[in-house]
Each structure stands twice: as structure tokens, then as C-alpha cells.
Amino acid sequence: MTPTITAFEQSPDRGRGLARDMPVRWALEEVGQPYAVRLVSFSEMKQPAHRTLQPFGQIPTYEEDGLALFETGAIILHIAERHGGLLPGDDNARARAIAWMFAAKSTVEPVIVEREAAMLLECDKGWYEERLPILDDRVRVRLRDLSARLGDSDWLDGEFSAGDLLMVSALRRPAASAIVKEFPNLAAFVARGEARPAFKRAFDAQYAVFAAVSNA
Ligand SMILES: N[C@@H](CCC(=O)N[C@@H](CS)C(=O)NCC(=O)O)C(=O)O
């Protein structure tokens, strides 16, 4: 059965491929699984029908054969477990790739999202200018450690995996991009992810939604 994911009807990112349906689309493209997209408005996302799928009233969601999932990481793990190409076959390597998925979502992305939230929601506060360097430093500490671990490797642990997919997705967030540039190996890591044909297909598909709304 073709899975259906949800995405913003009108994405605030204006076609930059930042909304979190993007990593799910990317994962589906990597494994060659066709999918359908149901676009939802901001008000629909907060209605009970959508909250049944996503308790926090957010996108993305994933529905397939009686299964409804939320949380990007869980959705991608599900996709990766059912198809080849996103997790290694060797059990230990697979466990390590899953550890990188968690690292992306629970160690790296939160500090980036915290900076993003400050930029969006706190920029009119008197203490904003004072707080921003503190948030930048929190991102920098994580990226410094990540950069040290990545070293000269193409990917975080051997072949490209769902861990890389989620880490590249976190580093693509605008709140991280200036700091990513301080670490040339991380900038190259992101560029390698974005150069993957599956990434490009996912990006184009998400961009098409933005373009259709803009031209309407
Ligand atoms: N932890 C969730 C976060 C989902 C999330 O933040 N979604 C954003 C779009 S990228 C959203 O729906 N924002 C609208 C809102 O929270 O009202 C995941 O990774 O799936």
C-alpha cells in the first residue's frame, strides 16, 4: 500500500525544503517507495482529526495499512526497517546507525531549534542580543564535537544511513547554517547529503507544493 504523509499546505519556509516532511520524503526517495502527500493547513493541523494522528498538532505524519505514525525519527526508522538502503545489514552497524538517528534528533537538533525559536519568537525582547551568543555557543559545542567525530569521513559511520539523513537535515536548518560554515567538513557533509539524487527528488517535490501555492 502506498503510504500517505502530511505536509504544510503553505510552508513558512517558502520552498527551502526545511519543513520536516522533507526528511521523510528524502527517506522514501532513498528506498524507492512511492508515497502520497496530504496537505494540511495550520488550522487543520490543530483540529481533533489531525491530532488523532499527531497529538501535538504538527506535521509530518505517516499512514500505511492501518498504521499511523508521527515523529520524523520514528517514521524514518519505520521506513528504514522495512526497506533496504537506510540501515546497514550488520546488526552492530545497524545499532550504531540508529544511535546516530537519536543523536541527530535528541542531541544536535534541540540546540539548533532552541536558537531558531529565539530568532522567531524572542527577537523583540530586551535580552535577545545578550542571549543569542549563548545559544550560538551551545550549537557550536555540538557541531565542534560532531566535526571532530566525522573527521575526513564521508558519512558518520561507514555507508550513508538514516543517521546521516537526519543529521544532514538538522544541520540544514537556518539557525545552524552560519555555524556549520565554521566547520568545513560539516559543510561538505551537508553538501554531500544535498547532492544525493533522492534528496533532490524530495526537495523538488516539496518545492512544487510551494510553487503551486505561490502561482495560484
Ligand atoms: N519532533 C517532531 C517535530 C515536528 C515539527 O516541529 N513540525 C513542525 C513543522 S517542521 C510543525 O508542524 N510546526 C507547526 C506547529 O508546531 O504548530 C518531528 O520531528 O516530527
Side-chain angles (χ1 to χ4, degrees):
M1 181 189 170
T2 304
T4 299
I5 65 167
T6 48
F8 283 136
E9 187 180 77
Q10 276 187 293
S11 179
D13 76 356
R14 304 192 53 75
R16 288 183 297 158
L18 300 170
R20 288 179 180 80
D21 55 300
M22 177 63 202
V24 174
R25 290 174 185 268
W26 183 7
L28 288 162
E29 292 288 352
E30 287 284 350
V31 303
Q33 170 64 57
Y35 60 97
V37 181
R38 184 156 43 78
L39 300 176
V40 289
S41 66
F42 274 93
S43 64
E44 274 169 318
M45 280 164 43
K46 305 301 172 192
Q47 298 301 316
H50 186 77
R51 285 185 190 275
T52 306
L53 300 172
Q54 217 293 3
F56 307 105
Q58 299 181 313
I59 59 103
T61 60
Y62 177 100
E63 291 161 86
E64 175 198 41
D65 255 339
L67 170 69
L69 279 179
F70 64 101
E71 283 298 334
T72 311
I75 295 169
I76 292 177
L77 181 57
H78 172 78
I79 295 166
E81 281 179 332
R82 270 148 194 81
H83 303 268
L86 282 174
L87 287 175
D90 172 76
D91 282 353
N92 287 354
R94 193 178 184 89
R96 291 196 304 272
I98 293 171
W100 280 114
M101 295 179 70
F102 278 84
K105 290 303 279 180
S106 66
T107 302
V108 175
E109 189 173 294
V111 288
I112 295 169
V113 169
E114 197 181 350
R115 188 197 195 274
E116 202 168 277
M119 286 158 64
L120 287 172
L121 307 171
E122 297 167 359
C123 56
D124 58 341
K125 306 284 189 264
W127 36 260
Y128 174 70
E129 294 298 335
E130 216 174 322
R131 184 160 187 251
L132 206 52
I134 297 170
L135 297 178
D136 278 347
D137 274 346
R138 284 190 197 145
V139 175
R140 193 169 285 111
V141 165
R142 291 290 187 243
L143 298 201
R144 185 180 300 134
D145 290 345
L146 184 66
S147 166
R149 171 54 82 98
L150 179 65
D152 294 333
S153 304
D154 279 356
W155 306 115
L156 290 164
D157 193 324
E159 295 297 302
F160 175 82
S161 79
D164 298 296
L165 187 155
L166 281 172
M167 194 64 82
V168 168
S169 300
L171 298 182
R172 289 188 68 246
R173 301 198 71 80
S177 52
I179 302 173
V180 166
K181 288 193 189 114
E182 296 172 17
F183 301 95
N185 67 337
L186 293 186
F189 172 66
V190 173
R192 261 192 301 281
E194 291 178 336
R196 292 179 72 83
F199 176 95
K200 291 182 179 179
R201 288 194 297 275
F203 186 95
D204 290 348
Q206 202 196 51
Y207 186 85
V209 176
F210 164 71
V213 170
S214 313
N215 296 330

